[in-house]
Amino acid sequence: MNIKDDKLLKLLSSKVEPKISIILPIHPETPQIEENILTYKNLLKDVKKDLELNYPRRQWENTVEQLDSLLLDRQLFSTSKRALIVFANNETMEICEMNHKVSPKAHVGTTFLVQDLLLPVENIDKPDYIVNTSRDRINVFDIDSLKEIKLHQIHHKFSDYYSDFDAESNVNSGSYGGKNIAQYHGHRSKPEEQERDQEIYYRYLDKAFSSYYRENGETYLLTGLPEVLDVYLNSYGNSPYIGGVIHSSILNLSHQELNEKINEYKYFEDIAMMEKTKHELHKALNQEKLIQDLNTIGFALDNHDVRTLVLVNDVIIIKY
């Protein structure tokens, strides 16, 4: 797994001790917020006991003050993510929101607990939703539950969007070439008009998805029949909100079949990611750009020379 957050990289390579790690599972349901806070309080209590027994107060009093202040942030404990990981020392503190399940634990010592942060199953770029694309509509599924949902403030059908776009556009118009000769132009019937409608709707979807991505960082796994999906990808295939593509429709799949399809997709994505990482590590090794010594890592961070931090068999490696 790669870490590309400069502040977190800096903290993980810091020499300042003691280093405190708090691993907190999160239950996002509103009634569970108090339970989340209580779990954090108990973990923090264990941290304070350990600090008082083993370290002078001057080495941790700033840290504890910061950790105590988190109890005032109820929104932090109601995040939609599954876990919070807090790293802190007397210099600074960083909070990571994770998508995988963790067990509650606290640790005080000379190192941080990065294992939970770097679990292989955690994919930072994991899409938030599955979007099955058709010519005039989309169907959206939650990536975890695989249940169909409605995205807030987005038109899932072109007909819904079109009523806002042009309230008069569905009215047929007729032109007369003479007595008893009429040529009616039904807006919804001509192939070229259908293509134009599709182009309008896809342009709207691109703007809507881009807006969600800018505001919340949401990404989407796009699916659909190849002949339909390729039309969308030809125009918007390089958009940052696209977290992956499956060139087949998922609408007629059972829940079990959909689960198998997504697991298959994730498997091949994981294989591709590992092969890419192997290639990058091999290339960096040949260029003598792999370092493991924490002092050298800290120096590289100070000079903004760090590209990626990688965990391989519990060994921290920096590529720069």
Side-chain angles (χ1 to χ4, degrees):
M1 180 57 65
N2 297 342
I3 302 177
K4 298 183 179 180
D5 186 297
D6 289 344
K7 292 181 180 179
L8 180 58
L9 286 170
K10 183 70 175 176
L11 177 59
L12 293 179
S13 63
S14 172
K15 295 180 182 179
V16 178
E17 299 176 12
K19 298 179 179 180
I20 300 170
S21 307
I22 297 179
I23 317 297
L24 179 69
I26 289 292
H27 303 282
E29 301 84 1
T30 301
Q32 300 294 333
I33 294 178
E34 296 300 331
E35 180 181 333
N36 297 335
I37 294 176
L38 180 60
T39 302
Y40 177 78
K41 282 182 177 179
N42 290 333
L43 292 172
L44 184 54
K45 187 182 298 183
D46 293 338
V47 165
K48 291 177 179 178
K49 287 181 181 178
D50 201 336
L51 290 170
E52 289 171 353
L53 287 173
N54 297 294
Y55 296 92
R57 177 174 291 274
R58 58 182 171 77
Q59 292 185 356
W60 51 263
E61 57 184 353
N62 291 341
T63 315
V64 169
E65 184 177 339
Q66 291 184 79
L67 294 172
D68 278 332
S69 68
L70 295 182
L71 289 168
L72 303 176
D73 186 359
R74 292 183 61 85
Q75 186 175 356
L76 178 66
F77 297 97
S78 62
T79 174
S80 61
K81 302 298 182 180
R82 296 184 181 180
L84 293 176
I85 301 182
V86 182
F87 298 118
N89 61 15
N90 232 24
E91 281 187 338
T92 187
M93 177 176 67
E94 292 295 329
I95 302 172
C96 306
E97 294 184 337
M98 310 304 295
N99 285 321
H100 59 246
K101 293 181 180 179
V102 298
S103 299
K105 61 177 80 92
H107 175 74
V108 177
T110 59
T111 60
F112 291 110
L113 292 180
V114 297
Q115 182 178 0
D116 286 287
L117 177 67
L118 299 168
L119 281 176
V121 296
E122 173 64 15
N123 184 353
I124 295 176
D125 296 323
K126 171 186 172 185
D128 296 280
Y129 303 102
I130 308 167
V131 177
N132 195 87
T133 308
S134 302
R135 287 183 174 86
D136 63 349
R137 67 192 63 207
I138 58 171
N139 297 82
V140 183
F141 299 81
D142 179 81
I143 194 72
D144 293 318
S145 67
L146 300 183
K147 293 181 179 180
E148 187 167 3
I149 62 170
K150 292 290 184 182
L151 290 177
H152 182 57
Q153 291 183 341
I154 191 169
H155 296 292
H156 286 224
K157 295 180 181 179
F158 177 70
S159 56
D160 295 335
Y161 167 65
Y162 204 77
S163 62
D164 290 341
F165 173 72
D166 186 349
E168 303 299 323
S169 61
N170 284 320
V171 178
N172 288 339
S173 61
S175 62
Y176 295 86
K179 187 177 181 181
N180 298 326
I181 300 175
Q183 295 177 338
Y184 287 92
H185 300 285
H187 180 80
R188 315 297 283 181
S189 63
K190 299 166 84 174
E192 59 269 26
E193 293 294 343
Q194 291 177 346
E195 290 181 9
R196 190 176 72 88
D197 291 349
Q198 184 180 19
E199 179 183 349
I200 292 170
Y201 185 49
Y202 284 3
R203 190 184 308 125
Y204 158 74
L205 290 176
D206 174 67
K207 290 181 179 179
F209 291 151
S210 295
S211 177
Y212 274 97
Y213 176 79
R214 286 192 301 270
E215 293 175 6
N216 307 311
E218 291 179 357
T219 58
Y220 309 90
L221 172 61
L222 300 188
T223 69
L225 294 174
E227 61 270 23
V228 176
L229 187 56
D230 286 347
V231 173
Y232 191 93
L233 295 175
N234 285 339
S235 296
Y236 309 111
N238 293 324
S239 302
Y241 58 77
I242 297 179
V245 177
I246 296 178
H247 285 85
S248 63
S249 175
I250 63 171
L251 290 186
N252 295 324
L253 299 181
S254 66
H255 187 276
Q256 181 178 347
E257 290 171 333
L258 178 55
N259 187 55
E260 292 173 355
K261 172 73 78 173
I262 298 303
N263 285 337
E264 180 183 26
Y265 164 79
K266 290 178 180 177
Y267 171 77
F268 285 110
E269 284 292 300
D270 288 343
I271 294 295
M273 181 186 68
M274 286 188 286
E275 289 301 318
K276 180 181 178 183
T277 302
K278 287 179 183 178
H279 175 75
E280 291 181 349
L281 286 174
H282 182 71
K283 181 179 178 181
L285 179 61
N286 289 338
Q287 297 176 352
E288 298 182 349
K289 291 187 175 182
L290 250 57
I291 56 177
Q292 296 172 249
D293 177 68
L294 290 179
N295 290 334
T296 310
I297 291 173
F299 179 79
L301 287 166
D302 287 335
N303 288 277
H304 304 286
D305 292 331
V306 172
R307 178 185 171 192
T308 309
L309 173 67
V310 183
L311 183 76
V312 180
N313 296 328
D314 295 328
V315 177
I316 296 177
I317 299 174
I318 287 282
K319 296 189 299 178
Y320 64 98

